[in-house]
Amino acid sequence: MARALTAFVKKDDVPSRKALQGALDPLGFRIVLDEDYKPFKTKGYVPVALDGEDAGFDLRFDEPAAEIRAKLGLADGAVALAIRWGGDPREELAALAVLAALAQSFGAAVAPPGAEAVLSVEDLLVMARKAAQAF
């Protein structure tokens, strides 16, 4: 699997750090999002604590291209949260848990680059649980 997925969220639904943490907690992955996360301002590495250990992923906010909006059936005004991670299983879990929280609690459509369809919340949770088994 590519180490990148994009969450497309309505601009007004992009969560604050507190709201995103509130959506992460019930998933049970023991992930704490760093206080430096700021919607629309964060650009680059987002540190998280995963069961007390350092982990994180790269996050970029962008406007999705018109053809992507059309292909995935996204509403006008959607924001793209492009998330990439490295080969460390903790990074993968952190990214997938955040993506699952965005999909489940904020209505994000999550898709890999070039995809014709979005992943379901259950798909994302299965992927996160699989990543959690690696350590």
Side-chain angles (χ1 to χ4, degrees), residues 1 23 76 86-87 96 104 116:
M1 178 178 96
D76 288 340
L96 291 170
Q104 184 171 20
E116 299 288 327

Side-chain angles (χ1 to χ4, degrees), residues 113-130:
E116 299 288 327
V118 297
L119 298 167
S120 71
V121 172
E122 189 56 38
D123 290 337
L124 292 163
L125 289 171
V126 165
M127 293 163 64
R129 289 182 194 119
K130 183 178 177 184

Side-chain angles (χ1 to χ4, degrees), residues 31-104:
I31 292 173
V32 178
L33 190 63
D34 193 84
E35 296 287 338
D36 288 342
Y37 165 80
K38 306 276 190 281
F40 307 106
K41 294 180 182 174
T42 296
K43 187 179 208 179
Y45 187 74
V46 177
V48 302
L50 172 57
D51 201 22
E53 293 187 32
D54 292 335
F57 51 87
D58 185 77
L59 170 64
R60 309 278 173 179
F61 287 88
D62 202 359
E63 183 177 331
E67 63 269 12
I68 293 173
R69 283 197 318 269
K71 186 189 298 186
L72 297 178
L74 304 173
D76 288 340
V79 174
L81 286 77
I83 295 180
R84 295 185 183 275
W85 60 92
D88 186 317
R90 289 182 297 267
E91 294 175 2
E92 181 178 10
L93 174 54
L96 291 170
V98 167
L99 288 158
L102 288 167
Q104 184 171 20

Side-chain angles (χ1 to χ4, degrees), residues 7-15 74 77-81 102-103 106-109:
F8 301 95
V9 184
K10 292 179 188 172
K11 187 174 184 175
D12 292 342
D13 292 341
V14 173
L74 304 173
V79 174
L81 286 77
L102 288 167
F106 304 99

